[in-house]
Amino acid sequence: RHMANKPDGITAEYENPFFLLIDGPILKNDVGEIEKFIKWSCVNCQRPLVIFASEFCKDVCDLFVRCCTGYPLVDKTGKTQLFKLPVIGVMLNTASEYGVERIQDLEACLGARCLQTNTGRLQNCPETEEEFLLLVGRADSIKSVPHYTRIRGGAGNRAIREGRIKEIEDLIKYNKDAAQHGMNEMMRLATLQKRAGMLQGEMHCIKVGGDSYKEKQNRKMIFDDAIQAVKACISNGVTLGGNVSVSKCISEHRNEIVEEIYKIVTDPENTYNVMVNTKPKR
């Protein structure tokens, strides 16, 4: 709530931010390093800073609140004034295997390098601003609300991202047969498919306008309907539209449907055919 910058009080949205990935929690010992990173990004480079970590201690949260409400800095005249610094803290669970893989996906998408933690201290922290700029990732924009964060236009290397997609697709092929023998394997396969889709998906922003408020709302609902139809098509494989009814499809393609059903029923390798032709034992 304290990091929100939109009128609704829960949304934080920034353009051209830096991304700092941390594999682990940020504890009290790292407050000085985090404060230095914030000054390099928000004051020197005039860019928002987004920090991903598994946990933020109270001192770090207090630092974020001071940055978003008023951080004391010396202006050009030599006077100390309060400035609002754009900082967002996003919690990312890295305790599980999926959490570690998500960090690797973010590194590939954003072009960042993750900082490791050991016994409550950040390891191999950058000593200069130049090293810090080589460490952080970049993107066009970020929108963060409670329990949901979306990043658009990651500046990661395309070849590295395609390599990550290839690794995930190989894992999907390897686990495809095993997924039929247990719920856990099926959930793992669904997670892998979701990761591959997120890495492959290109996000776009549609701007809707109008001469009046009602016209804007009408156009917005039309675009929302179209987006939901596309999502349904992706999830279910097909969706009907363009004034096409099910009965009309059946009447137009009756012969093709009958031929397909006949092939399925008469195929000796088909499970349905085996079940039909198998006589029960007495």
Side-chain angles (χ1 to χ4, degrees):
R1 184 179 62 199
H2 297 290
M3 291 176 278
N5 62 342
K6 293 298 180 182
D8 59 3
I10 60 174
T11 303
E13 189 171 2
Y14 292 104
E15 301 291 332
N16 298 321
F18 285 151
F19 293 87
L20 178 63
L21 305 180
I22 297 177
D23 185 6
I26 303 178
L27 303 181
K28 185 176 181 180
N29 298 329
D30 301 321
V31 175
E33 296 290 341
I34 298 300
E35 190 171 6
K36 181 173 61 175
F37 298 156
I38 292 174
K39 290 182 180 179
W40 284 344
S41 176
C42 302
V43 179
N44 297 352
C45 299
Q46 298 294 317
R47 300 276 291 272
L49 180 62
V50 183
I51 302 176
F52 285 90
S54 63
E55 185 179 350
F56 299 92
C57 69
K58 181 179 181 301
D59 297 309
V60 176
C61 293
D62 293 341
L63 174 62
F64 290 164
V65 172
R66 292 199 307 270
C67 291
C68 295
T69 55
Y71 188 84
L73 293 173
V74 179
D75 59 8
K76 296 180 180 180
T77 60
K79 297 181 180 180
T80 302
Q81 296 186 4
L82 299 179
F83 293 90
K84 291 185 178 181
L85 304 181
V87 180
I88 306 176
V90 180
M91 293 186 66
L92 180 64
N93 184 13
T94 59
S96 63
E97 179 184 359
Y98 178 52
V100 176
E101 292 171 348
R102 289 177 68 186
I103 283 188
Q104 295 174 357
D105 293 344
L106 286 173
E107 287 180 330
C109 291
L110 302 175
R113 290 188 294 110
C114 183
L115 280 178
Q116 303 293 328
T117 59
N118 186 16
T119 63
R121 295 299 299 268
L122 291 173
Q123 303 296 313
N124 301 322
C125 290
E127 299 295 335
T128 62
E129 184 176 344
E130 289 74 15
E131 295 179 358
F132 172 76
L133 295 178
L134 295 175
L135 177 73
V136 296
R138 294 166 176 80
D140 292 339
S141 64
I142 181 173
K143 181 179 180 180
S144 181
V145 296
H147 311 294
Y148 178 80
T149 299
R150 171 163 288 178
I151 301 170
R152 297 184 179 92
N157 191 316
R158 187 178 184 85
I160 297 176
R161 189 177 66 175
E162 291 178 352
R164 290 289 301 167
I165 295 172
K166 181 66 169 55
E167 292 178 6
I168 296 173
E169 289 177 347
D170 293 340
L171 286 174
I172 292 174
K173 293 179 182 178
Y174 180 77
N175 292 280
K176 200 167 186 179
D177 296 334
Q180 301 176 2
H181 304 290
M183 183 61 68
N184 292 333
E185 293 296 332
M186 292 178 63
M187 293 176 62
R188 174 177 170 78
L189 183 62
T191 301
L192 291 172
Q193 292 174 342
K194 181 179 179 181
R195 286 178 53 208
M198 293 175 67
L199 287 171
Q200 290 174 343
E202 297 290 342
M203 300 178 59
H204 300 275
C205 181
I206 301 175
K207 296 183 179 180
V208 181
D211 296 332
S212 63
Y213 176 76
K214 290 186 177 180
E215 186 176 359
K216 291 180 183 179
Q217 291 298 110
N218 182 39
R219 291 184 180 179
K220 181 177 180 298
M221 287 189 291
I222 292 173
F223 277 100
D224 286 339
D225 291 342
I227 292 171
Q228 295 300 327
V230 173
K231 289 181 178 180
C233 182
I234 294 173
S235 301
N236 304 321
V238 66
T239 183
L240 298 177
N243 297 324
V244 179
S245 63
V246 178
S247 60
K248 184 174 179 61
C249 285
I250 294 175
S251 62
E252 291 289 337
H253 304 279
R254 183 183 300 274
N255 295 333
E256 291 88 342
I257 294 173
V258 172
E259 290 178 3
E260 288 295 329
I261 294 175
Y262 180 77
K263 289 179 181 179
I264 293 174
V265 173
T266 57
D267 186 3
E269 297 181 357
N270 189 273
T271 305
Y272 176 79
N273 185 40
V274 173
M275 293 176 63
V276 171
N277 296 331
T278 302
K279 296 182 179 181
K281 296 181 181 180
R282 294 182 179 178

